[in-house]
Amino acid sequence: MASPPRGDADAIGVRLATREDMPALHQMILDLAIFEGVPDGPKLSVQDLTRDGFEAQPAWFFALVAEVGGRVVGSALCNRAYSSWTRRAFYVEDLYVRPEWRRAGVATALLQRLCQMALGEGVHRVDWHVLLDNEPALRFYARLGARDVGATEGRAALRLDRHRIEAVARGRLTTPHPPHPPYSPTTSDQPPL
């Protein structure tokens, strides 16, 4: 395995992913899930990525890949969103750098290219989530000037999983036993959902 060129950002190329990159992107999604402690989390295949990113109209996502010497060493899986406050937005679903390439400028190069795209497309904000215990990532994002909207705007990140989407679509608007207690910013022992 090649040694990362520490501090040599010129060696890192960032481009839009192609369908040929989907096996590498899929592997990085799986690697990120292992890193986050949920190795059984991802339920998608290379074929799903290809279909959703390159055959669906409009595409459900776009991705950037960082490569060095023709090898993909990092990626950003993103989608376009719309804010009722700021209009156009990007959402970063996954930002992943292979462990041997961390602290070599790969994440910086990916986010710099994403922000260049954002400016070119009239995007006013880029949003993402990060695990609260991922201290290196939190420090890196703070250096970029990213802010924690949970802290600054008092917002909780919420989600309906597929089974609840189906239930709500059928009119079952409540669940008898919520899977998690509701988040309260005044209750320190309850993690945000």
Side-chain angles (χ1 to χ4, degrees):
M1 199 170 290
S3 176
R6 301 289 181 197
D8 188 1
D10 293 334
I12 301 165
V14 176
R15 61 176 173 75
L16 281 171
T18 65
R19 63 177 57 236
E20 289 75 25
D21 294 312
M22 293 306 98
L25 183 65
H26 185 259
Q27 185 58 55
M28 286 187 279
I29 290 168
L30 298 176
D31 292 345
L32 178 59
I34 291 168
F35 174 80
E36 292 181 340
V38 284
D40 296 330
K43 305 294 185 218
L44 74 166
S45 67
V46 172
Q47 294 76 17
D48 293 329
L49 288 168
T50 302
R51 209 172 13 258
D52 292 342
F54 299 94
E55 296 168 6
Q57 292 300 322
W60 282 94
F61 72 89
F62 68 93
L64 296 173
V65 293
E67 57 185 0
V68 176
R71 178 170 182 248
V72 175
V73 298
S75 64
L77 178 66
C78 311
N79 59 64
R80 288 169 177 82
Y82 200 80
S83 165
S84 60
W85 288 18
T86 61
R87 297 180 52 221
R88 299 174 185 177
F90 284 161
Y91 180 77
V92 181
E93 176 67 25
D94 291 343
L95 178 67
Y96 184 76
V97 176
R98 294 187 191 277
E100 65 272 21
W101 287 92
R102 292 182 187 153
R103 303 187 59 82
V106 175
T108 301
L110 285 162
L111 287 171
Q112 181 177 12
R113 179 67 185 111
L114 182 66
C115 288
Q116 290 166 350
M117 287 177 61
L119 291 175
E121 294 188 31
V123 166
H124 296 274
R125 70 190 228 193
V126 177
D127 295 320
W128 66 96
H129 292 93
V130 63
L131 293 177
L132 293 174
D133 64 354
N134 189 345
E135 289 294 327
L138 289 167
R139 284 191 303 272
F140 169 67
Y141 298 140
R143 285 193 308 272
L144 294 177
R147 65 185 174 87
D148 177 353
V149 296
T152 62
E153 296 180 13
R155 295 178 185 267
L158 303 177
R159 172 180 301 141
L160 285 176
D161 292 306
R162 179 60 186 239
H163 73 282
R164 287 305 306 152
I165 293 169
E166 291 170 357
V168 171
R170 289 191 307 269
R172 264 191 58 220
L173 303 181
T174 60
T175 178
H177 305 286
H180 302 282
Y183 172 69
S184 169
T186 59
T187 309
S188 61
D189 62 342
Q190 293 180 351
L193 300 177

